[in-house]
Amino acid sequence: MNQQERWERAVAILARFRQLVAEMEQLPKPPIVAFLDAEMRRQYRRFALRLRAGKVEPRYRNLFTAEELADICEQACDRDEFLEMAIEELQRLGEELRALLAENDAELGRAATAEILRVKDAARWLGPDSRAGQDYAEAQRLRRQGQRRRNHPRKRSQAAEVMSLPGVDYELHLRHWLAAAEVLPDGAPAGEPVLRFPENDDDDRIVLRIGIGEHSWVGSFRRGLTDYSTVQLMPDNRNLLVVTNGAGTIVEVITNAHVADLGCDIAGVVRHESSDVLVIDHAGTSFEAFGPEGRMCCDG
């Protein structure tokens, strides 16, 4: 392979790098932050099939329907299957690029200089938005990157930079982690503290475990006048809305302190993931809206 062919191959490798990175940025963002290997992907896909067939139900029904959870599982499998392929290709291309650069830096440098001058002239005639203009901008970026590496070589002891997993919505994952709730029909396990909302002696209550893992907690909530129940993180990201058979309670996330009661007639709560507004329907007679700064309005 002569110098010109080596230069053209190096440019092609970098173009493929850019393409793979762009595809990673366009991946769907399911709220599953773990990377799923081949065996886990098989298990998740089987679980999705069972969800769609009605053989299993979501554990946290306040977060997902069976169809929604099946979609999330399949999206995570597709994401990590692509990432596995992309990482293997990036490693292979990186090794090829290093080998090209290691063959003869001086000769490749002369060929690169001649090619850069040619592309620069073409970019002047055709403009910065042309293919030549884009190639020249990429060549300049590589030149600056190479200069920085020569001036500031990386020490072996320097820690590797930590990267977030592409295709992950970490904020949505955290919201789900905090708001996940399940009914405890037999009450809290023996010895585990239970917070009461409100603090009275009423026995007609619903006991919930809220949150996942070591930060979960158990609350006993009053029962309202409708069949509607949910637990959601509010738009301010500081409070939880807990609705138990229509009875609404706002609880502070960090301290689990009681913030407010919202009546006993809640028939529905609407919040779109793309919106910062949560709307509460009080049995069709009035509506409340909450935004990032708290209560926005009350209609009715």
Side-chain angles (χ1 to χ4, degrees), residues 184-250:
L184 301 180
D186 298 326
E192 186 166 358
V194 179
L195 302 178
R196 297 177 67 86
F197 302 91
E199 294 183 359
N200 57 33
D201 295 328
D202 183 8
D203 292 331
D204 190 17
R205 288 174 168 269
I206 296 176
V207 179
L208 301 177
R209 179 178 297 283
I210 298 177
I212 297 175
E214 61 181 6
H215 299 296
S216 69
W217 56 280
V218 177
S220 173
F221 297 86
R222 60 179 175 162
R223 192 184 299 269
L225 304 175
T226 74
D227 293 331
Y228 183 76
S229 298
T230 188
V231 177
Q232 296 190 30
L233 188 63
M234 299 190 73
D236 60 12
N237 291 328
R238 297 189 298 270
N239 296 307
L240 281 171
L241 169 64
V242 181
V243 181
T244 46
N245 281 27
T249 307
I250 297 179

Side-chain angles (χ1 to χ4, degrees), residues 14 35 72 109 118 148 162 197 209 235 296-297:
L14 293 169
F35 177 82
I72 288 171
R118 184 189 69 78
R148 285 195 299 270
V162 177
F197 302 91
R209 179 178 297 283
M296 298 172 60
C297 64

Side-chain angles (χ1 to χ4, degrees), residues 151-194:
N151 294 340
H152 305 284
R154 185 172 181 174
K155 297 180 181 180
R156 290 184 179 272
S157 59
Q158 184 174 347
E161 183 177 352
V162 177
M163 294 180 61
S164 297
L165 183 67
V168 171
D169 189 333
Y170 287 94
E171 181 179 349
L172 183 58
H173 167 78
L174 179 59
R175 295 179 67 88
H176 288 163
W177 192 270
L178 293 172
E182 57 181 329
V183 176
L184 301 180
D186 298 326
E192 186 166 358
V194 179

Side-chain angles (χ1 to χ4, degrees), residues 44-73:
Y44 270 61
R45 287 197 167 105
R46 285 197 296 268
F47 182 60
L49 288 174
R50 297 184 68 199
L51 282 166
R52 296 192 193 282
K55 296 180 179 179
V56 292
E57 290 289 334
R59 179 175 180 179
Y60 304 109
R61 299 185 184 183
N62 65 305
L63 298 181
F64 321 105
T65 65
E67 282 293 320
E68 289 169 341
L69 186 55
D71 288 342
I72 288 171
C73 292

Side-chain angles (χ1 to χ4, degrees), residues 109-123:
R110 286 193 292 271
T113 299
E115 179 67 13
I116 289 172
L117 291 175
R118 184 189 69 78
V119 173
K120 180 179 180 180
D121 289 339

